[in-house]
Amino acid sequence: MAEEVKKRVFSGVQPTGKVTLGNYLGAIRNWKPLQDNYDCLFCVVDLHSLTVSQVPAELRKNTLDLTALYIACGIDPDKSILFIQSHVHEHAELAWILDTVAYVGELNRMTQFKDKSRRHADNINMGLMNYPVLMASDILLYQAEYIPVGKDQVQHVELTRDIAERFNARYSETFVVPQCLLNKAGSSIKSLQDPSAKMSKSDVNDNAIVTLSDEPDVIRRKLRRAVTDSDSDAHCVRHSADKPGVSNLLNIYSLCSGESVAEAERRFEGKGYGVFKDAVADSIIAVLEPIQAEQKRLLADKGYLEAVLKSGAEKASRIAQKTLTKVYRKVGLVPQIR
Ligand code: AQP
C-alpha cells in the first residue's frame, strides 16, 4: 500500500528576547498536537531578529534558550524537524528571488512594518521592510500547507499566498499556496498594561508582559498590576467588548486552566478583581512551572541540543535545496556543473 503523504506545517518564533505568554498561547502551544498528523518543521527564525538591534551575545543565548523551549513545550525532534533558520542558507537565497516578485507598495502597507518603523524610528532598515519576504521564503521553501500563527502574522501569511500565486502564474506551478492555522481563543493575547495592544516580546514595559521564564512571585505581581476596567460594572468579572482588560485576563485564565470563559465568569461572580487576578496568576504558573523545569534541564545538556539542531538542519536542508534548485531552473538561472 502506498505510504500516506502528510501535509506540511511550518512555523517559527524570533529569538528577539524573552518569549511571552502571547507567543506561547497564540503559537507554540498549538504546535505539539500537530506533530502526529502533519509533517512539521519548527524553526528558530534568527535572521528575522536582525531586523531590530540585537546584542550579538544575547541573540546567541536567546536562540539556544528558544530551541530548548520548543522541546520543553512538547516539540519532539524525532517527530518534527527543529532547526535554526540561519543554518539553512536557502532561506536567504530564496528570499532574494521572491524580492523580485514582491512589490514595494505591498510591503509598505504591512501593519507590522508600519508599527515597528514607529517603534524603531532610528533604525528603519531594509530588513524591516523585507521581513515578510523572508517569511514567505521560510514557508514556500518547504512547500508548507498550514502555518499556525497568532493574529498579528495573518497579514504576512496572506502576502506569502499572493507572492506564491504570482510566482506560479509567472513561472508555472512551483509553490504550494499556504494557509493560516489560527487558534481563535489564543490568537491575540493583549498587553497587561494596555489591552488595546498585543502582548509583545519587545515591549519596553516589563509589567505589560508575562514571559515564559518569569518566576511565580513575578507573575503574581504582574497580574495584580494588570489594567482592569473602570466602568460602572467595576469588579464584575465578565467577558465583553467594553471590558477589554478583564476579557483578556479571562481568555488567559480559560486557556491556562481549561475552563470555558462562561464557567470562569460563574466561578468569579461577586468575588472581585483581586481574587480573580490571583487565580489567573495561579493558572499561568501551573502551566509554566513544568515547562521552565524542562527547559532548564535541556539547557544543561548542550550536547543533546547541538545534536538536535545538527540533525534538524540536515533534514531541512534536503527539502530546501530541492525547492531552490527548482526555483532557479524556473526563473532561468544556469545550473552549476558539479
Ligand atoms: N500577543 C500575541 N498573542 C498571540 N500570538 C502572538 N504571537 C506574537 N504575539 C502574540 C505569535 O507568536 C509567534 C511568534 O512571533 P514572532 O516572534 O515571530 O514575532 P511577533 O509576531 O512580532 O511577536 P512579538 O512577541 O511581538 O515579537 P517582537 O516583539 O520581537 O516583534 C507568531 O505566530 C505570532 O503570531
Side-chain angles (χ1 to χ4, degrees):
M1 213 167 71
E3 205 184 314
E4 189 203 351
V5 180
K6 289 182 180 168
K7 292 200 165 151
R8 206 164 267 159
V9 162
F10 178 95
S11 201
V13 173
Q14 303 177 74
T16 33
K18 290 197 172 132
V19 173
T20 72
L21 192 63
N23 301 129
Y24 176 69
L25 296 176
I28 305 174
R29 186 175 105 134
N30 306 316
W31 298 351
K32 183 181 168 188
L34 298 171
Q35 299 180 103
D36 291 323
N37 299 319
Y38 298 97
D39 192 4
C40 296
L41 293 110
F42 298 115
C43 184
V44 177
V45 287
D46 56 347
L47 294 175
H48 282 279
S49 304
L50 300 173
T51 55
V52 296
S53 300
Q54 299 292 331
V55 176
E58 279 177 16
L59 178 59
R60 265 188 292 274
K61 180 178 182 309
N62 289 338
T63 302
L64 291 179
D65 283 357
L66 189 51
T67 304
L69 187 69
Y70 279 10
I71 304 172
C73 289
I75 300 312
D76 178 350
D78 290 330
K79 288 184 184 166
S80 300
I81 301 179
L82 196 173
F83 69 108
I84 294 176
Q85 185 186 28
S86 62
H87 290 184
V88 180
H89 57 80
E90 285 84 357
H91 287 250
E93 292 173 63
L94 179 60
W96 173 253
I97 301 289
L98 299 181
D99 263 341
T100 65
V101 180
Y103 296 126
V104 171
E106 59 192 353
L107 295 177
N108 236 330
R109 281 195 295 276
M110 292 292 110
T111 309
Q112 192 181 73
F113 172 60
K114 289 193 269 189
D115 174 50
K116 288 201 171 169
S117 301
R118 255 193 314 272
R119 285 197 280 138
H120 305 277
D122 57 335
N123 185 21
I124 308 176
N125 57 76
M126 272 311 299
L128 199 59
M129 191 176 179
N130 249 350
Y131 180 113
V133 182
L134 181 58
M135 181 164 157
S137 167
D138 300 337
I139 295 167
L140 300 181
L141 208 42
Y142 299 102
Q143 308 287 7
E145 191 116 6
Y146 298 112
I147 318 300
V149 284
K151 213 167 163 183
D152 64 316
Q153 291 295 340
V154 169
Q155 195 182 36
H156 290 166
V157 178
E158 276 164 6
L159 181 73
T160 300
R161 290 171 61 83
D162 291 344
I163 290 175
E165 280 167 356
R166 203 174 297 148
F167 188 98
N168 287 348
R170 197 176 291 175
Y171 296 108
S172 83
E173 208 59 27
T174 306
F175 294 122
V176 168
V177 179
Q179 48 185 304
C180 279
L181 266 188
L182 203 65
N183 178 355
K184 224 169 154 220
S187 67
S188 188
I189 301 298
K190 304 298 185 189
S191 150
L192 298 182
Q193 292 299 312
D194 174 8
S196 68
K198 73 163 189 161
M199 186 180 282
S200 201
K201 273 186 239 99
S202 52
D203 200 314
V204 286
N205 183 351
D206 201 41
N207 284 321
I209 63 176
V210 173
T211 80
L212 263 52
S213 55
D214 280 346
E215 298 284 343
D217 56 330
V218 174
I219 296 175
R220 284 200 186 88
R221 196 190 65 229
K222 287 181 177 176
L223 264 294
R224 279 187 196 139
R225 290 183 184 167
V227 169
T228 36
D229 314 290
S230 53
D231 53 2
S232 56
D233 231 0
H235 301 289
C236 168
V237 177
R238 182 168 45 80
H239 197 285
S240 72
D242 61 338
K243 290 170 96 62
V246 171
S247 300
N248 186 39
L249 297 185
L250 267 169
N251 262 347
I252 293 174
Y253 177 80
S254 168
L255 289 162
C256 291
S257 68
E259 243 175 55
S260 72
V261 168
E263 281 167 342
E265 284 175 334
R266 280 194 293 279
R267 175 186 294 280
F268 297 107
E269 201 178 334
K271 300 243 168 79
Y273 286 163
V275 172
F276 171 54
K277 285 175 166 184
D278 282 347
V280 181
D282 287 341
S283 72
I284 298 171
I285 293 163
V287 169
L288 296 194
E289 267 181 344
I291 294 175
Q292 291 170 347
E294 181 60 2
Q295 186 192 23
K296 198 168 158 198
R297 189 189 70 75
L298 288 161
L299 283 169
D301 192 349
K302 215 171 156 221
Y304 171 71
L305 287 182
E306 281 172 358
V308 164
L309 289 172
K310 181 168 181 286
S311 151
E314 283 164 3
K315 289 184 217 160
S317 291
R318 277 196 286 276
I319 307 171
Q321 243 169 39
K322 219 169 130 191
T323 307
L324 192 69
T325 304
K326 187 169 161 188
V327 168
Y328 276 9
R329 180 169 48 80
K330 295 257 182 152
V331 299
L333 303 183
V334 173
Q336 189 183 356
I337 309 294
R338 293 182 197 273

